[in-house]
Amino acid sequence: MIFNSKSLAIFGIISAAASANAFAPRGGSVATSSAVDMSTSEVAEPHSLLPPDEVLESYSPSIGSKLELEIALTNIKTTFEQKLQKNVNLVRVSAPMFLSKTSGFNDNLNGVERPATFAPRDFQDVKLEVPFSLAKWKRWALHYYDVPAGQGVVTDMRGLRCDDDVDFTHSLYVDQFDWEKHIAQEDRNEEYLENTVKSIYSALVETEKMVEAEYGIKAVLPEEITFISSDEALKAHPDLSPKERENLYCEKHGAVFFMGIGGNKEDGELRHDGRAPDYDDWITPRACGGTGLNGDILVWNPLLKQSFEISSMGIRVNPEVMEKQLDLCGNNDRKELIWHQMLLDGTLP
């Protein structure tokens, strides 16, 4: 069994307050790069990549030098990774820059996004993909490194997302912590999920306190994270969009774990947001009446005045759950891929 987090974009918490380039299309936060300028110039006006005017007018950088900013971001990144490793019991490993298309190791995201693909000069029949994330690769890494139950791996991955909606919180360039933990069968439950979320959130709070002490940027995160069922949130606010519900709860609580992401409502629309069928478990019933042993960590960004996703995570599919979710999504053809065969035959933990 596996516990995973596909994205841990810790810089979102402090980039808006601390970055001298927080609202520039290039540089500043972990999710921006010069690729944004080049790749969106034909489809978006530069101003559309920036926050609303009222945010820009009231914004004053806490760190004025670009060089000082880079030093600060490295400090923050190192601090968070160390605290995450300690709290969740993870070991750092190296990340791949590309994956074989036929292996099935790349993350499929929502199943419609195009990966950046290329063929090596001397092996034109081999198709390689730049990863969206290491959602599948890191589960294989647990097998490769023979990681015991109770321990996991973490890597600082780089990737490209050609079809991402580029704005001041999204980019074509991915720089995120990907981690995966080997868990026992009896730990596939809601309590284990919540305890792990608390461990991750504690690392975020501890890192933010370091930022306040070293850079004078006031900490804004609450000490505790609030757990919200996406199913209950939908019942309470059926007329709001998923983003509006996230904003509502994040503004109220400061930090929220939206539990139960993926799958469709009775009307065929997404229950809250999309999730790949071979990633984490979004069908297992929970005690509260909702379904899914997964979710998203979100925090309230007081400068942007909106919710900000920090982590997409959950307890992994086992063979039985994956087969059901593949069938629900009409993706049974994936069972022929190497990665999926390794999961179905019990090779992967």
Side-chain angles (χ1 to χ4, degrees):
M1 296 302 104
I2 304 294
F3 199 104
N4 74 90
S5 174
K6 132 175 122 173
S7 170
L8 215 40
I10 64 167
F11 304 114
I13 300 176
I14 56 87
S15 63
S19 172
N21 293 326
F23 304 131
R26 64 170 73 231
S29 79
V30 72
T32 57
S33 79
S34 58
V36 176
D37 294 324
M38 297 161 52
S39 302
T40 61
S41 59
E42 296 181 2
V43 297
E45 293 296 326
H47 190 69
S48 68
L49 303 178
L50 305 180
D53 289 339
E54 58 268 23
V55 175
L56 291 172
E57 291 168 358
S58 63
Y59 173 70
S60 178
S62 299
I63 300 176
S65 161
K66 293 183 176 65
L67 184 58
E68 290 175 350
L69 174 63
E70 290 296 327
I71 295 171
L73 289 175
T74 299
N75 187 17
I76 294 165
K77 195 170 184 179
T78 300
T79 299
F80 176 78
E81 183 180 0
Q82 290 174 345
K83 294 185 181 299
L84 180 68
Q85 286 178 304
K86 179 181 177 182
N87 290 3
V88 189
N89 193 22
L90 307 174
V91 176
R92 184 185 176 103
V93 297
S94 299
M97 289 295 295
F98 50 82
L99 301 164
S100 167
K101 181 178 178 64
T102 58
S103 69
F105 275 45
N106 201 1
D107 184 2
N108 293 101
L109 298 180
N110 294 308
V112 297
E113 294 86 352
R114 299 169 304 149
T117 306
F118 68 98
R121 182 195 63 189
D122 296 332
F123 303 95
Q124 287 295 305
D125 58 335
V126 176
K127 303 303 179 185
L128 301 176
E129 298 178 344
V130 178
F132 290 130
S133 84
L134 299 180
K136 297 188 179 74
W137 176 88
K138 58 192 176 181
R139 189 166 185 176
W140 169 84
L142 292 183
H143 161 69
Y144 178 77
Y145 290 109
D146 196 21
V147 177
Q151 192 173 40
V153 296
V154 61
T155 186
D156 184 2
M157 69 84 61
R158 309 291 197 277
L160 296 175
R161 296 190 177 182
C162 306
D163 292 337
D164 219 359
D165 296 323
V166 178
D167 58 19
F168 52 91
T169 62
H170 297 85
S171 173
L172 306 180
Y173 172 63
V174 180
D175 182 346
Q176 65 187 28
F177 288 112
D178 258 311
W179 66 270
E180 194 97 350
K181 187 174 184 179
H182 186 176
I183 66 174
Q185 171 65 31
E186 56 267 25
D187 291 328
R188 278 190 105 256
N189 57 64
E190 187 175 347
E191 181 182 8
Y192 194 91
L193 172 63
E194 290 189 0
N195 287 337
T196 304
V197 169
K198 291 175 182 177
S199 295
I200 297 168
Y201 185 71
S202 177
L204 291 169
V205 170
E206 293 168 13
T207 302
E208 190 191 35
K209 288 179 178 178
M210 180 279 291
V211 171
E212 181 178 50
E214 295 201 18
Y215 305 106
I217 301 169
K218 184 179 179 181
V220 297
L221 292 176
E223 289 293 326
E224 304 291 335
I225 189 169
T226 299
F227 291 85
I228 301 292
S229 165
S230 66
D231 305 279
E232 291 300 319
L234 177 60
K235 291 178 182 177
H237 304 282
D239 296 328
L240 298 183
S241 68
K243 181 63 177 177
E244 289 171 335
R245 290 193 293 271
E246 291 175 355
N247 285 338
L248 178 70
Y249 285 99
C250 282
E251 184 174 17
K252 178 180 179 180
H253 299 288
V256 170
F257 183 71
F258 260 81
M259 190 179 299
I261 307 293
N264 293 334
K265 298 180 294 183
E266 293 182 359
D267 61 6
E269 296 295 319
L270 282 175
R271 179 166 51 134
H272 185 79
D273 199 359
R275 209 67 143 220
D278 42 12
Y279 177 46
D280 47 33
D281 183 335
W282 40 261
I283 63 171
T284 294
R286 302 193 309 273
C288 67
T291 60
L293 297 175
N294 68 351
D296 293 337
I297 296 177
L298 302 110
V299 299
W300 180 250
N301 188 312
L303 183 62
L304 299 179
K305 293 181 173 56
Q306 67 177 47
S307 62
F308 192 97
E309 182 183 312
I310 298 296
S311 178
S312 171
M313 56 185 292
I315 291 178
R316 282 289 207 169
V317 293
N318 58 20
E320 178 184 4
V321 170
M322 185 179 75
E323 288 199 281
K324 290 180 179 178
Q325 293 184 175
L326 286 174
D327 188 56
L328 286 170
C329 294
N331 294 133
N332 284 313
D333 56 315
R334 295 188 192 176
K335 295 178 185 178
E336 303 304 315
L337 298 173
I338 296 171
W339 186 92
H340 297 73
Q341 291 178 8
M342 293 179 72
L343 175 61
L344 293 171
D345 67 18
T347 300
L348 300 180

